[in-house]
């Protein structure tokens, strides 16, 4: 073992961490005031059993002082700027609908089919409906420019449908993603609509899907798409929601930013493939949920074995304890499941991670929030 290496301990994160705490206690135990008695009240170096009641009442509790640990470890400094308090959501319990759709080359059919699925989910009680990644187009670099829409203009039949149905049904929609054309650039974009049908958020995929697994799969979104530049978190009628698209889920820093910004739920429309899907899809969802103690919802296209890109499917809702609350296989399906935000507070009391972080050792910097603070 290398000199200075940490050794695992069941009581501390490492023996070096334990040593730091013990060293602190030993250092301060040399001071009579630390133990609440004078040197005259000890015999043979031991504290006297006849310590006054006044001294006993003022003596700090040696091993149960969370405040002392906090002062040592500075958990509030582990997030820069400091993490926001979890907001009180407008609603505590509600149903979410995850629409796992079969996507075809017929754009008009895809739009009509998505609308029908949203209406079916709403009839079954869903107040929040999530669609898959690239639900109006085949998933390919050749298709993205052909199916792309100008979301900010009047040439987006896909988002026009989402806006209309959200308004009619009075539901919140996380509209999966579609190829977006903005000037001479293309983006993989998710739009969020409120119950009035208003576009309240637009997330452009931050991490582009550029991978090469020899003999398995090779894909480069960057051949046609441009990476987004902004994390997206939005207050809705069903709570504060962070948005990521597919490959974004692999980057835990984004989920950590959303948690520090007070997200109750992160939605990831995604289309994992037949190579990484079986290995990583559920694993990543559960990791993002349990690490940040919040809900994670994913929505995939249904599997089409004859497509150029074959999706894994398995749309899922994961709770803040890392538990799979609801999932499906690879065929078309609509998952209806309940979200109960009181579970977030419960799990954060069970495992008070926010109070146990080591701001003295590491920090997560939210560059956007930090810059915004500097500009005010």
């Amino acid at each position: 073992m290398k000199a200075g290496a940490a050794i695992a301990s069941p009581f501390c994160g490492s023996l070096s961490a334990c040593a730091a705490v013990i060293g602190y206690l030993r250092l301060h135990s040399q001071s009579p005031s630390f133990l609440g008695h004078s040197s005259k009240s000890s015999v043979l170096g031991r504290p006297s059993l006849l310590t006054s009641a006044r001294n006993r009442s003022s003596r700090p509790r040696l091993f149960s002082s969370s405040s002392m640990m906090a002062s040592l470890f500075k958990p509030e400094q582990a997030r820069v700027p400091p993490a926001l308090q979890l907001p009180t959501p407008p609603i505590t319990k509600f149903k979410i609908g995850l629409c796992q759709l079969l996507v075809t080359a017929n754009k008009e059919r895809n739009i009509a089919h998505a609308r029908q699925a949203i209406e079916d989910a709403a009839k079954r009680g869903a107040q929040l409906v999530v669609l898959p990644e690239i639900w109006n187009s085949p998933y390919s670099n050749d298709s993205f420019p052909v199916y792309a829409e100008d979301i900010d203009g009047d040439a987006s039949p896909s988002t026009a449908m989402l806006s209309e149905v959200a308004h009619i049904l009075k539901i919140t929609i996380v509209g999966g993603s579609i190829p977006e054309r903005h000037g001479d650039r293309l983006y993989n974009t998710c739009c969020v609509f409120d119950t009035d049908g208003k576009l309240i958020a637009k997330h452009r995929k931050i991490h582009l899907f550029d991978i090469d697994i020899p003999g398995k799969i090779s894909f480069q979104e960057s051949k046609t798409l441009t990476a987004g530049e902004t994390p997206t978190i939005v207050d809705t009628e069903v709570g504060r929601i962070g948005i990521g698209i597919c490959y974004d889920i692999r980057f835990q820093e984004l989920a950590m930013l959303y948690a520090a910004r007070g997200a109750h739920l992160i939605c990831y429309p995604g289309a994992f493939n037949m190579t990484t899907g079986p290995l990583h899809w559920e694993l990543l969802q559960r990791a993002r949920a349990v690490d940040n103690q919040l809900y994670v919802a994913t929505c995939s296209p249904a599997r089409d074995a004859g497509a150029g890109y074959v999706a894994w499917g398995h749309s899922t809702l994961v709770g803040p304890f890392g538990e799979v609350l609801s999932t499906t296989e690879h065929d078309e399906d609509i998952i209806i499941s309940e979200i109960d935000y009181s579970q977030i507070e419960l799990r954060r009391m069970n495992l008070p991670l926010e109070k146990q972080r080591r701001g003295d050792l590491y920090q997560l910097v939210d560059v956007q929030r930090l810059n915004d603070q500097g500009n005010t």
Side-chain angles (χ1 to χ4, degrees), residues 34-52:
F34 181 76
L35 291 176
H37 59 79
S38 69
S39 57
K40 294 181 180 179
S41 62
S42 62
V43 179
L44 298 177
R46 296 179 182 177
S48 169
L49 297 178
L50 301 178
T51 305
S52 69

Side-chain angles (χ1 to χ4, degrees), residues 306-328:
Y309 181 93
V310 182
W312 170 241
H314 296 263
S315 302
T316 303
L317 177 67
V318 181
F321 213 46
E323 70 277 32
V324 174
L325 297 173
S326 190
T327 189
T328 187

Side-chain angles (χ1 to χ4, degrees), residues 50-322:
L50 301 178
T51 305
S52 69
R54 179 178 58 83
N55 283 341
R56 283 200 302 271
S57 64
S58 62
R59 183 187 306 168
R61 294 183 180 180
L62 198 58
F63 294 107
S64 63
S65 176
S66 298
S67 60
M68 186 192 71
M69 300 296 280
S71 67
L72 278 173
F73 297 158
K74 300 177 172 60
E76 73 285 351
Q77 296 182 19
R79 299 291 181 265
V80 180
L84 301 176
Q85 185 175 359
L86 188 71
T88 301
I91 187 171
T92 301
K93 290 184 180 181
F94 65 94
K95 289 183 179 179
I96 184 173
L98 308 176
C99 299
Q100 185 164 291
L101 305 176
L102 186 66
V103 179
T104 71
N106 186 327
K107 186 176 184 179
E108 291 184 359
R109 180 266 178 197
N110 293 336
I111 294 173
H113 189 55
R115 179 175 188 134
Q116 183 62 57
I118 295 169
E119 291 172 346
D120 290 347
K123 287 179 183 177
R124 294 169 60 185
Q127 292 175 261
L128 170 65
V129 176
V130 185
L131 296 185
E133 181 185 24
I134 306 294
W135 58 266
N136 72 343
S137 162
Y139 185 86
S140 73
N141 280 314
D142 291 337
S143 297
F144 296 152
V146 177
Y147 289 75
E149 301 179 7
D150 180 1
I151 295 172
D152 294 332
D154 296 324
S156 180
S158 299
T159 58
M161 179 276 289
L162 296 177
S163 174
E164 181 181 12
V165 75
H167 175 67
I168 292 173
L169 300 176
K170 296 300 178 186
I171 60 172
T172 302
I173 296 178
V174 174
S177 76
I178 64 171
E180 178 197 7
R181 185 180 301 280
H182 184 75
D184 60 352
R185 295 184 176 183
L186 298 177
Y187 297 92
N188 186 342
T189 302
C190 174
C191 294
V192 181
F193 294 88
D194 67 11
T195 57
D196 292 325
K198 180 182 177 182
L199 176 63
I200 56 174
K202 186 169 70 171
H203 177 78
R204 291 168 171 165
K205 190 174 186 176
I206 293 175
H207 305 93
L208 296 183
F209 180 58
D210 286 6
I211 70 166
D212 183 18
I213 304 175
K216 297 291 185 179
I217 183 172
S218 179
F219 200 98
Q220 285 190 301
E221 279 188 327
S222 61
K223 285 184 176 180
T224 56
L225 301 178
T226 299
E229 298 181 348
T230 308
T232 305
I233 189 165
V234 58
D235 286 315
T236 76
E237 289 90 345
V238 291
R240 185 169 293 178
I241 301 177
I243 305 293
I245 299 175
C246 200
Y247 206 55
D248 285 339
I249 199 173
R250 289 191 177 274
F251 299 87
Q252 64 268 36
E253 297 88 348
L254 181 61
M256 292 161 69
L257 287 185
Y258 289 155
R261 293 184 185 190
H264 301 101
L265 164 69
I266 305 177
C267 291
Y268 293 101
F272 269 46
N273 55 74
M274 298 299 292
T275 298
T276 60
L279 289 172
H280 301 155
W281 182 235
E282 181 181 305
L283 173 68
L284 288 166
Q285 296 173 63
R286 297 182 69 189
R288 297 296 85 84
V290 74
D291 283 351
N292 297 289
Q293 299 177 306
L294 44 65
Y295 281 88
V296 167
T298 61
C299 191
S300 168
R303 189 180 307 170
D304 179 0
Y309 181 93
V310 182
W312 170 241
H314 296 263
S315 302
T316 303
L317 177 67
V318 181
F321 213 46

